[in-house]
Amino acid sequence: MTSDQATLTRPVSSIDPFSDDFLADPYPHHHALREAGPAVWLERYGIWAMARHEQVRDALTDWQTYCSGAGVGLSDFRKEPPWRPPSIILEADPPLHTKTRAVLNRILSPGAIKVLRETFDREAETLVARLVERREFDGVADLAEPYPLKVFPDAVGLSADGRENLLPYGNMVFNSFGPRNDLFNRAMANAGPVRDWIMSKCSRVALAPDGLGMQIFHAVDSGELTEDEAGMLVRSFLSAGIDTTVYGLGNTLYCLARHPRQWANLRENPALIRGAFEEVLRFEAPVQTFFRTTTRDVDVGGIRLGDGEKVLLFLAAANRDPRRWENADRFDVTRRATGHMTFGTGIHGCVGQAVARLEVEAILSQLVKRVAAIEMTGEPQRRLNNTLRGFDHLPLRFVPA
Ligand code: OVV
């Protein structure tokens, strides 16, 4: 096929994946994008999209063809200036990425972070006990937000003051991967002071001596990183480490409230906790999308993508691809959900995933002990974001065990 024919015959969609309509209920749109082809041209933005599991996984695995250094949002850093200095791990390719990743791999490995378990468990116990006593509460404001906002910054070694800047910053970061739409502009309304506060917390002097943040600075002392690079990796902790788990925990509560028989099964079989969180990540992915940029012409299932083109990878659509999953639209805590794309895969696969699991498993362990039923007492209210999927409000009741 000549490239002209490829252009003429390529699947095209006029869909806007960053519109309120799409973000409020992405699943019918994911279906349409998967069915349109292995790659689909989104004419509204002049970008490619992939929504099938096979192509999303292959693109994430092939970092040489699908690079991150031009940004992992819609914006091409080679064509327009990024809103903040690029992340030296997320928005970097080898060899820079190899060096920064090695440091965070070490600090965040399951073996290294298991010392956090005791504190995470204790904080989960206190919080859940209080909510069971209260019975009715907001699953977002009273659980999904305060828990990660307490345990993760504590683990990093951040001082207590000013933490109210963390969620607004995450909101900026994750909306910034989309277009400059209303969501982006509203997130950026107070960008200056929020960004300044974040940066003030990224230096050695701001960090406790025994936390994950200072461990990054130990890599300066050993000659692996420069002082500035260490600060930038602390910024990555504060960018990626909070909203993701807030939305993940909120989606966990939502799934369990909406599927009472699944909750009953989990209560009777706490060994299912780990798999249940994986299933939440598959079924209601807190991180929906990331972009890559092509570094060469590439054939994707018979469709020709050019060099230097943005590719939108629908992690959440891959997670419900019927080519990969049986009953993909069914929430089932007993299924083998590993292989979902919510943590990505390949060299950029989520480096903090063991911390995320530790947080959610600490909460779920308390819930199975103390909560007989999780009931929705009102309509959940979504919080739209160009990258994340989750809730503003989740009115819940915990029926004590
Ligand atoms: C995975 C992720 C999300 C957002 C920000 C970053 C990483 C970062 O490195 O700044």
Side-chain angles (χ1 to χ4, degrees), residues 159-238:
S159 56
D161 61 290
R163 289 187 183 185
E164 66 277 6
N165 287 289
L166 290 166
L167 287 176
Y169 189 69
N171 198 39
M172 289 158 60
V173 167
F174 286 97
N175 275 306
S176 77
F177 297 127
R180 305 212 159 197
N181 56 12
D182 285 351
L183 289 168
F184 175 97
N185 290 324
R186 268 182 268 140
M188 292 295 178
N190 192 33
V194 173
R195 189 213 285 125
D196 291 348
W197 181 86
I198 290 287
M199 294 318 294
S200 80
K201 296 297 167 187
C202 292
S203 70
R204 201 188 277 262
V205 295
L207 295 162
D210 51 352
L212 301 173
M214 192 60 81
Q215 287 183 47
I216 299 177
F217 281 92
H218 292 161
V220 178
D221 307 331
S222 65
E224 268 177 291
L225 299 175
T226 68
E227 191 82 8
D228 286 351
E229 287 172 336
M232 284 295 281
L233 290 178
V234 175
R235 194 193 72 172
S236 287
F237 277 179
L238 303 184

Side-chain angles (χ1 to χ4, degrees), residues 72 84-91 104 169-170 173-174 177 232-241 244 287 290 348 350-351:
V72 296
R84 62 172 194 165
S87 165
I88 60 172
I89 183 159
L90 177 75
E91 294 153 335
L104 293 198
Y169 189 69
V173 167
F174 286 97
F177 297 127
M232 284 295 281
L233 290 178
V234 175
R235 194 193 72 172
S236 287
F237 277 179
L238 303 184
S239 302
T244 48
V287 178
F290 268 120
H348 288 281
C350 179
V351 74

Side-chain angles (χ1 to χ4, degrees), residues 57-384:
R57 191 196 50 216
D58 288 355
L60 289 171
T61 307
D62 183 0
W63 57 268
Q64 281 146 317
T65 304
Y66 299 93
C67 79
S68 292
V72 296
L74 175 64
S75 170
D76 186 337
F77 292 176
R78 293 163 187 175
K79 295 179 182 162
E80 51 184 352
W83 71 279
R84 62 172 194 165
S87 165
I88 60 172
I89 183 159
L90 177 75
E91 294 153 335
D93 299 306
L96 172 61
H97 172 270
T98 314
K99 178 178 84 164
T100 54
R101 176 76 190 208
V103 174
L104 293 198
N105 269 347
R106 198 166 65 225
I107 296 171
L108 298 177
S109 74
I113 61 147
K114 67 172 191 281
V115 299
L116 299 174
R117 182 184 299 270
E118 217 180 288
T119 317
F120 283 24
D121 284 346
R122 181 163 25 85
E123 294 293 342
E125 182 172 20
T126 310
L127 180 54
V128 170
R130 215 164 56 216
L131 293 174
V132 170
E133 211 160 294
R134 247 178 86 180
R135 285 187 174 231
E136 295 193 5
F137 60 93
D138 187 321
V140 176
D142 301 320
L143 205 176
E145 285 182 349
Y147 183 72
L149 268 175
K150 168 79 178 140
V151 300
F152 185 68
D154 281 0
V156 170
L158 216 65
S159 56
D161 61 290
R163 289 187 183 185
E164 66 277 6
N165 287 289
L166 290 166
L167 287 176
Y169 189 69
N171 198 39
M172 289 158 60
V173 167
F174 286 97
N175 275 306
S176 77
F177 297 127
R180 305 212 159 197
N181 56 12
D182 285 351
L183 289 168
F184 175 97
N185 290 324
R186 268 182 268 140
M188 292 295 178
N190 192 33
V194 173
R195 189 213 285 125
D196 291 348
W197 181 86
I198 290 287
M199 294 318 294
S200 80
K201 296 297 167 187
C202 292
S203 70
R204 201 188 277 262
V205 295
L207 295 162
D210 51 352
L212 301 173
M214 192 60 81
Q215 287 183 47
I216 299 177
F217 281 92
H218 292 161
V220 178
D221 307 331
S222 65
E224 268 177 291
L225 299 175
T226 68
E227 191 82 8
D228 286 351
E229 287 172 336
M232 284 295 281
L233 290 178
V234 175
R235 194 193 72 172
S236 287
F237 277 179
L238 303 184
S239 302
I242 296 151
D243 297 61
T244 48
T245 44
V246 165
Y247 282 68
L249 202 45
N251 290 355
T252 301
L253 296 170
Y254 174 76
C255 286
L256 295 174
R258 272 285 147 92
H259 300 90
R261 285 194 308 268
Q262 299 288 323
W263 168 247
N265 194 2
L266 195 57
R267 269 197 80 209
E268 283 154 31
N269 307 284
L272 295 174
I273 284 176
R274 170 153 291 223
F277 180 44
E278 295 305 313
E279 175 66 348
V280 170
L281 291 172
R282 183 193 72 83
F283 186 77
E284 285 287 2
V287 178
Q288 293 271 302
T289 48
F290 268 120
F291 286 79
R292 292 293 187 262
T293 311
T294 57
T295 58
R296 62 178 177 89
D297 293 353
V298 56
D299 178 281
V300 178
I303 298 161
R304 197 75 179 164
L305 279 57
D307 182 10
E309 300 200 300
K310 279 282 171 179
V311 184
L312 174 52
L313 303 177
F314 282 96
L315 314 175
N319 288 349
R320 289 175 178 235
D321 184 351
R323 296 161 190 78
R324 171 63 179 77
W325 311 93
E326 263 172 54
N327 302 310
D329 291 320
R330 197 168 75 200
F331 178 70
D332 176 2
V333 298
T334 66
R335 86 158 71 225
R336 285 184 358 185
T338 53
H340 67 73
M341 289 293 118
T342 307
F343 285 138
T345 188
I347 67 167
H348 288 281
C350 179
V351 74
Q353 57 184 282
V355 184
R357 290 200 182 94
L358 209 58
E359 289 184 30
V360 176
E361 288 172 19
I363 294 291
L364 287 178
S365 300
Q366 291 302 321
L367 295 186
V368 299
K369 274 190 209 155
R370 295 167 188 269
V371 177
I374 306 172
E375 296 171 355
M376 206 87 82
T377 58
E379 269 308 298
Q381 210 173 299
R382 289 216 160 268
R383 181 183 297 168
L384 302 189

Side-chain angles (χ1 to χ4, degrees), residues 11-23:
V12 174
S13 169
S14 60
I15 228 158
D16 179 359
F18 304 101
S19 64
D20 287 1
D21 166 71
F22 188 106
L23 296 171

